Amino acid sequence: MDREQAIDLINSSLREGAELRIVVARDCSTAIFEAADLITTCLQAGGKLLFFGNGGSAADAQHLAAEFVGRFVRERAGLPAIALTTDSSILTAVGNDYGFDQIFARQVQALGHPGDVVIAISTSGNSPNIIEGVRAAKKGQLKTIGLGGKDGGLLAKETDLAITIASTNTARIQECHIAVGHLLCELTEEGLRMRAAEKEEREAARQQ
């Protein structure tokens, strides 16, 4: 590939990504808001977030869990979020004993509590271990959010709330998943701040 071809590829890729984000803004803004509200309510009530995905989506799960435990924009207390993709002993033990399809379901059963929120990430929306993890969450009365791609696949049908990136390009879908994840972090931080301020105002009013 010569210089001119490489620059054409760069420009084409960046334009495709920018155009896809415009589509996501048009089609997914309401779902993103609802997902952030669900997460905010969960955390305000003392619940936690469980993230999982395969491959690049596993890295996205870890990235987003880190944003909640650490911080995104605001300086604030750490928020409880766990990526179920990081413990190699659990993944290999469960994969060996129960099958790869159960690596997330088993962890959801062990760690999840009613009212917690699962964020399942799959570019295809059809990964069996992702779907089994979501089904385990539903059985345990956890709320479920799916970050999917293409037509949403089974993930869009199984989750309480689906955010589907309407593309067949895996790399572009993953880029949008991180953009959506960052929005969830920012909206949650702001939502928790506003709810805490409103609570303080109500308490102050009662004391007057």
Side-chain angles (χ1 to χ4, degrees), residues 5-50:
Q5 290 173 322
I7 289 174
D8 284 344
L9 175 62
I10 292 165
N11 290 337
S12 174
S13 176
L14 291 173
R15 280 196 300 269
E16 181 184 9
E19 289 166 2
L20 182 56
R21 286 187 182 215
I22 292 170
V23 172
V24 172
R26 183 192 69 203
D27 294 345
C28 300
S29 290
T30 297
I32 293 169
F33 166 77
E34 291 174 351
D37 190 62
L38 184 62
I39 290 169
T40 301
T41 298
C42 164
L43 295 173
Q44 186 183 34
K48 63 182 174 295
L49 311 178
L50 301 176

Side-chain angles (χ1 to χ4, degrees), residues 49-71 81-88 91 104 107 119 121 147 178 182 185:
L49 311 178
L50 301 176
F51 290 87
F52 53 84
N54 294 301
S57 298
D60 291 345
Q62 293 164 214
H63 177 159
L64 295 175
E67 302 285 17
F68 280 95
V69 172
R71 66 173 181 180
I82 304 170
L84 305 185
T85 54
T86 60
D87 192 322
S88 59
L91 296 175
F104 301 130
Q107 294 186 76
I119 298 95
I121 310 172
L147 299 184
I178 283 296
H182 282 168
C185 293

Side-chain angles (χ1 to χ4, degrees), residues 83-143:
L84 305 185
T85 54
T86 60
D87 192 322
S88 59
S89 294
I90 291 175
L91 296 175
T92 54
V94 174
N96 183 67
D97 294 345
Y98 298 98
F100 189 69
D101 290 0
Q102 296 300 311
I103 60 171
F104 301 130
R106 190 76 172 181
Q107 294 186 76
V108 169
Q109 292 166 9
L111 301 173
H113 297 283
D116 289 347
V117 173
V118 153
I119 298 95
I121 310 172
S122 171
T123 57
S124 71
N126 291 312
S127 299
N129 59 356
I130 300 296
I131 301 305
E132 289 300 319
V134 168
R135 288 172 177 167
K138 291 167 69 176
K139 288 180 182 177
Q141 300 179 52
L142 284 73
K143 298 296 184 181

Side-chain angles (χ1 to χ4, degrees), residues 28 120-128 130-131 134 145-159 161-168 173 177:
C28 300
I121 310 172
S122 171
T123 57
S124 71
N126 291 312
S127 299
I130 300 296
I131 301 305
V134 168
I145 297 169
L147 299 184
K150 301 179 181 177
D151 65 356
L154 282 174
L155 186 64
K157 298 175 183 177
E158 293 280 354
T159 49
L161 185 57
I163 301 170
T164 302
I165 310 302
S167 172
T168 58
I173 295 168
H177 280 171

